[in-house]
Amino acid sequence: QIILWGRTEKCLKETTEEIRMMGTECHYFICDVGNREEVYRQAKAVREKVGDITILVNNAAVVHGKSLMDSDDDALLKSQHINTLGQFWTTKAFLPRMLELQNGHIVCLNSVLALSAIPGAIDYCTSKASSFAFMESLTLGLLDCPGVNATTVLPFHTSTEMFQGMRIRFPNLFPPLKPETVANSAVITVLMKQVWTMHVLVILKSILPQAALEEIHKFSGSYTCMNTFKGRT
């Protein structure tokens, strides 16, 4: 059975109905993961109404697509509360029971921007880098905890409304990923207990000097891809 959390009831209802039509039991709860008290309250409601959670997928995120000086302070805080701190609260809410049962998995749908930041999305890149460090530390802390694991997924640009309008220089060479592709890869990654990301990028960042990396980003259009950003928060 699947439990959905989100801030918009209309979207939750539609997705729940889709899942139920496929023959899977599904429930939804309205919850803003950036709100600590709300997370703990709804986690209690889930346990009472449905039961224990054994796989937690942290997927909630927002992006505002502006430079630091053009960003509203509240918008910057919102990104950090949802993209980063939200994982602290959800993990604290469900991990203790997983440890008791010796059965659980914490999954983070992160972004390749956690490893390679771009201009124009400073709130998002910062929150994702912090989220990556959170998961890295959590994973190491679970090494001696039998039956409980953690997995981080760092996909490339995915074709959702979130990054609508973002353009890279060579879209045929680096096409946006379909949400279904990311979802399927996430499931496989969880089963294999490994990180899924652009390994070439990780290798390049490890061996090339900063000046060379900057030239690669300029050539690929990474530094200007947010100029046409429209997005959805």
Side-chain angles (χ1 to χ4, degrees), residues 188-212:
I188 294 172
T189 302
V190 168
L191 294 175
M192 297 178 67
K193 298 182 178 67
Q194 65 180 24
V195 174
W196 180 63
T197 186
M198 298 175 68
H199 295 290
V200 172
L201 176 61
V202 177
I203 295 171
L204 290 177
K205 288 200 69 173
S206 300
I207 62 176
L208 293 181
Q210 182 63 28

Side-chain angles (χ1 to χ4, degrees), residues 34-156:
N35 185 316
R36 180 182 56 188
E37 291 78 12
E38 193 171 325
V39 168
Y40 294 157
R41 183 170 62 252
Q42 293 294 51
K44 181 180 179 181
V46 168
R47 285 190 291 269
E48 292 175 347
K49 296 179 181 179
V50 184
D52 294 319
I53 298 298
T54 53
I55 299 179
L56 169 64
V57 181
N58 283 312
N59 181 56
V62 295
V63 58
H64 296 283
K66 295 181 180 180
S67 68
L68 176 63
M69 301 313 297
D70 291 334
S71 297
D72 176 77
D73 288 356
D74 289 336
L76 291 174
L77 284 171
K78 181 179 178 181
S79 296
Q80 310 315 310
H81 281 299
I82 294 176
N83 301 3
T84 304
L85 290 176
Q87 293 184 76
F88 282 68
W89 316 141
T90 58
T91 302
K92 286 194 70 176
F94 294 112
L95 181 58
R97 185 56 177 158
M98 294 182 185
L99 294 173
E100 288 179 11
L101 297 172
Q102 294 189 359
N103 178 26
H105 209 121
I106 308 294
V107 185
C108 172
L109 266 294
N110 201 302
S111 168
V112 72
L113 296 183
L115 303 178
S116 183
I118 59 174
I122 194 166
D123 63 317
Y124 187 81
C125 295
T126 301
S127 66
K128 289 301 182 179
S130 179
S131 170
F132 181 76
F134 168 79
M135 286 299 295
E136 192 171 37
S137 179
L138 179 68
T139 302
L140 293 172
L142 293 174
L143 290 179
D144 295 325
C145 300
V148 182
N149 298 284
T151 295
T152 303
V153 181
L154 297 105
F156 181 62

Side-chain angles (χ1 to χ4, degrees), residues 116-118 201 205 210 212-224:
S116 183
I118 59 174
L201 176 61
K205 288 200 69 173
Q210 182 63 28
L213 291 171
E214 290 174 359
E215 291 302 320
I216 292 174
H217 280 299
K218 290 177 183 177
F219 181 73
S220 66
S222 297
Y223 283 175
T224 57

Side-chain angles (χ1 to χ4, degrees), residues 158 177-185:
T158 306
L177 297 172
K178 295 181 179 179
E180 295 81 4
T181 300
V182 176
N184 289 332
S185 298

